[in-house]
Amino acid sequence: MSKVEDFLTTVEESQIIEAIKTAEKNTSGEIRVHLETSSDGSPIERAKELFGLLKMNETKDQNGVLFYVAVDDRQFAVLGDVGIDKVVSGDFWNSIKNKVINRFLEGNYTLGLQEGILETGKKLQEYFPYESNDIDELPNDISLG
Ligand code: CA
Ligand code: CA
């Protein structure tokens, strides 16, 4: 019985938001986290749907990344837009996903998301470095479904 609002404490939420901000200091890429109760099916398919709903497919360089958690299902998916997807190696997303899920299995949800976000930020930095005129195209908050 975990309501989506109770999944993270206020402190944990702010730790995740800090990780997003830190990651985005190094890259023009945009990272978001979305939590909801259940994905009603495949988490990656739901992440794809949310990507459009959250307008994450509208960044200039197509470099948005969504971290998606279905709280009750303990399911996780990470999805990058086509601009990133075509430059990172084929197993990059799987590697992130496995690391985050391993943390989840230990019960360390916040740490898993923090590490996944920071590692994604470092990877994005290689291809989409931060520029002084960067626009924060997508809010750095956690959206709840
Ligand atoms: Ca940006
Ligand atoms: Ca942002």
Side-chain angles (χ1 to χ4, degrees):
M1 284 286 288
S2 50
K3 281 206 319 217
V4 68
E5 291 83 4
D6 301 331
F7 182 64
L8 300 171
T9 66
T10 311
V11 170
E12 289 169 337
E13 246 177 62
S14 53
Q15 287 170 334
I16 291 168
I17 290 167
E18 276 311 306
I20 297 174
K21 287 182 185 164
T22 301
E24 289 192 9
K25 273 184 195 142
N26 296 320
T27 176
S28 62
E30 296 287 332
I31 297 172
R32 292 207 73 175
V33 174
H34 184 88
L35 308 179
E36 68 183 354
T37 311
S38 170
S39 62
D40 273 341
S42 145
I44 190 70
E45 288 305 318
R46 178 60 180 150
K48 284 178 188 167
E49 192 174 41
L50 283 163
F51 212 85
L53 292 173
L54 295 170
K55 302 193 187 307
M56 293 194 60
N57 51 354
E58 294 179 9
T59 61
K60 181 168 70 66
D61 294 325
Q62 297 186 297
N63 56 3
V65 179
L66 175 63
F67 283 76
Y68 169 77
V69 185
V71 171
D72 274 2
D73 308 346
R74 300 291 191 256
Q75 293 271 23
F76 171 76
V78 58
L79 180 65
D81 205 348
V82 292
I84 307 170
D85 205 38
K86 68 182 179 206
V87 291
V88 298
S89 70
D91 62 356
F92 175 69
W93 302 116
N94 267 336
S95 137
I96 294 280
K97 182 182 166 184
N98 290 337
K99 286 179 193 173
V100 173
I101 283 180
N102 282 335
R103 290 297 190 195
F104 280 20
L105 292 173
E106 298 165 2
N108 292 322
Y109 299 99
T110 304
L111 186 63
L113 289 170
Q114 283 176 304
E115 289 178 349
I117 289 164
L118 293 174
E119 187 173 337
T120 300
K122 285 202 183 110
K123 181 55 82 176
L124 285 173
Q125 184 178 17
E126 293 174 28
Y127 304 103
F128 303 98
Y130 184 86
E131 288 168 23
S132 56
N133 59 353
D134 183 75
I135 298 167
D136 190 20
E137 294 173 281
L138 297 170
N140 302 333
D141 58 359
I142 298 173
S143 56
L144 302 177

